[in-house]
Amino acid sequence: MAKIEVGIPQGTRDFGPEVVRKRNFIFNIIKNVFELYGFQPLETPAMENLETLLGKYGEEGDKLIFKILNNGLEHPSKADEARKDFEKVLQGKNVKTITERALKYDLTIPFARYVAMNHGQLVYPFKRYQIQPV
């Protein structure tokens, strides 16, 4: 029987129960203090529309954005065209038929998008705290 190698993606790590409990304890203290001063919790999705993120971090930052491939191709019968589009994506270009979303790079742009989408319902100054992986 073949040996299966198990691992996690490079640059990531697991947090075991002891570390998670300590982190949660610290996060709860931070959250309680924020809320004591009128801050509200906010969470945004792990991914954003690619057009929302592109151009906000500069040319070097755009290279670091992790693009998410679409679930399927609109015209799977056009295999040659799809292959060319995929090559463009591999070169760092945006092709809507291949990728329209990306993982958020930090919490700033998603927060700005949230405020822009909800400006009529927010009370200003809008005081928020956000603790999420990026």
Side-chain angles (χ1 to χ4, degrees):
M1 183 174 262
K3 182 179 176 184
I4 299 174
E5 301 238 358
V6 178
I8 60 175
Q10 182 179 354
T12 65
R13 61 183 173 188
D14 292 325
F15 295 99
E18 185 178 329
V19 172
V20 171
R21 282 190 192 92
K22 288 177 183 177
R23 285 170 43 120
N24 286 342
F25 177 79
I26 293 167
F27 287 158
N28 286 333
I29 291 171
I30 293 169
K31 290 174 185 180
N32 288 335
V33 171
F34 273 125
E35 290 183 14
L36 183 67
Y37 288 93
F39 287 78
Q40 300 175 64
L42 177 68
E43 285 190 21
T44 54
M47 62 182 165
E48 290 282 338
N49 290 325
L50 187 56
E51 62 190 29
T52 302
L53 298 174
L54 283 176
K56 310 305 187 295
Y57 302 107
E59 192 174 314
E60 287 300 312
D62 283 354
K63 292 177 185 176
L64 299 174
I65 292 175
F66 186 88
K67 297 174 185 171
I68 301 170
L69 296 178
N70 291 345
N71 297 341
L73 299 174
E74 290 181 23
H75 306 287
S77 61
K78 299 181 180 180
D80 287 339
E81 191 176 315
R83 204 172 1 266
K84 289 177 187 174
D85 286 346
F86 190 70
E87 288 297 324
K88 290 178 188 173
V89 170
L90 292 176
Q91 294 169 7
K93 297 178 178 132
N94 183 31
V95 180
K96 279 199 159 208
T97 57
I98 300 290
T99 180
E100 298 171 348
R101 298 161 292 172
L103 294 178
K104 64 185 175 189
Y105 191 79
D106 68 3
L107 300 176
T108 308
I109 302 303
F111 174 58
R113 188 234 351 114
Y114 177 84
V115 171
M117 288 179 64
N118 297 283
H119 65 88
Q121 295 83 33
L122 300 176
V123 176
Y124 296 97
F126 179 59
K127 296 165 57 172
R128 71 81 158 107
Y129 68 89
Q130 193 170 352
I131 302 172
Q132 288 184 257
V134 293

